[in-house]
Amino acid sequence: DGGITQSPKYLFRKEGQNVTLSCEQNLNHDAMYWYRQDPGQGLRLIYYSQIVNDFQKGDIAEGYSVSREKKESFPLTVTSAQKNPTAFYLCASSISTSSYEQYFGPGTRLTVT
Amino acid sequence: AQTVTQSQPEMSVQEAETVTLSCTYDTSESDYYLFWYKQPPSRQMILVIRQEAYKQQNATENRFSVNFQKAAKSFSLKISDSQLGDAAMYFCAYMGSGGGADGLTFGKGTHLIIQP
């Protein structure tokens, strides 16, 4: 089946540690995105990538980093510089950034204590 | 910057009844896209319906329809014959003419409760 996978579903880390969230898609989509969701809030864009080896900051990129070495993979690293990293993180993809339809993964809940 | 406002934090409806969720947005663009996403307890985001701003006709998908008022910048979602499986958070979202490069701008959501 085609789709987007995110692992793990729940992730726990100690404060001060970097942590990497996985996102893989087999939809052959060029564009991929990372969003953050906080309680009572909609999603906010962290980073997006239009093609391999290219990515752009979204609205809340501070404290995060990404890479896009393969078309199907777009991992997100939450660094120790992110002041409030506990949140639900959603990955999405689309055929291209000019496409209006984004497909979402199941998300990863990150808890930092 | 674009903003999306959902003024109803929570709505409740009896099963089989009709409910309307409200959404307003602010933009200076004339060409854009509007969406309603459903987020059930599994937290997977599911696209319910979309509307292209250049289309005057309101979008419809089975029991889901929208009332798009471009001049008023209003985009409400009507769910007819509500079912228990419709219970979820519903998010209104905006995308500018730049497509995904602008990302989706979301409202804060409306929690829809279906009373059996």
Side-chain angles (χ1 to χ4, degrees), chain B residues 8-25:
Chain B
Q8 306 153 316
E10 186 172 280
M11 292 283 286
S12 181
V13 64
Q14 293 284 334
E15 195 176 1
E17 296 291 306
T18 295
V19 63
T20 299
L21 309 184
S22 302
C23 172
T24 59
Y25 58 94

Side-chain angles (χ1 to χ4, degrees), chain A residues 35 37 42 48 97 100-101 104, chain B residues 35 39 44 50 99-101 104 107:
Chain A
Y35 290 90
Q37 185 178 25
Y48 68 94
T97 49
Y100 55 72
E101 189 150 358
F104 285 84
Chain B
F35 307 85
Q39 189 178 41
Q44 174 92 43
R50 67 172 180 265
L104 285 160

Side-chain angles (χ1 to χ4, degrees), chain B residues 26 28 31 49 60 63-64 80 82 89 105-106 110-111 113:
Chain B
D26 188 28
S28 57
D31 193 20
I49 198 165
T60 299
R63 298 183 293 107
F64 299 86
S80 304
S82 298
M89 286 292 294
T105 300
F106 285 84
T110 296
H111 181 209
I113 298 168

Side-chain angles (χ1 to χ4, degrees), chain A residues 51-93:
Chain A
I51 54 172
V52 173
N53 293 323
D54 175 78
F55 45 83
Q56 305 294 329
K57 292 182 179 180
D59 299 323
I60 55 166
E62 186 175 347
Y64 299 97
S65 66
V66 293
S67 63
R68 187 87 186 276
E69 297 177 0
K70 298 185 298 181
K71 185 175 184 177
E72 50 282 7
S73 178
F74 190 41
L76 172 75
T77 297
V78 184
T79 75
S80 56
Q82 168 51 232
K83 293 192 178 357
N84 187 15
T86 294
F88 186 63
Y89 292 87
L90 283 150
C91 178
S93 72

Side-chain angles (χ1 to χ4, degrees), chain A residues 9 33 35 37 40-45 48 50 59 88 90 96-102 104-106 109, chain B residues 33 35 37 39 42-47 50 52 91 95 98-109:
Chain A
K9 191 170 179 64
Y33 312 82
Y35 290 90
Q37 185 178 25
Q41 302 290 325
L43 281 64
R44 292 181 291 167
L45 183 65
Y48 68 94
Q50 300 185 67
D59 299 323
F88 186 63
L90 283 150
S96 71
T97 49
S98 59
S99 169
Y100 55 72
E101 189 150 358
Q102 295 186 9
F104 285 84
R109 170 67 181 176
Chain B
Y33 304 94
F35 307 85
Y37 279 90
Q39 189 178 41
S42 67
R43 303 200 75 175
Q44 174 92 43
M45 295 293 283
I46 302 165
L47 178 63
R50 67 172 180 265
E52 292 89 340
F91 292 94
M95 180 183 286
D102 296 331
L104 285 160
T105 300
F106 285 84
K108 292 187 176 183

Side-chain angles (χ1 to χ4, degrees), chain A residues 17-37:
Chain A
Q17 294 179 335
N18 290 356
V19 59
T20 297
L21 281 60
S22 167
C23 177
E24 304 276 334
Q25 55 98 0
N26 61 3
L27 300 167
N28 200 32
H29 285 173
D30 283 324
M32 297 186 74
Y33 312 82
W34 273 105
Y35 290 90
R36 170 182 171 136
Q37 185 178 25

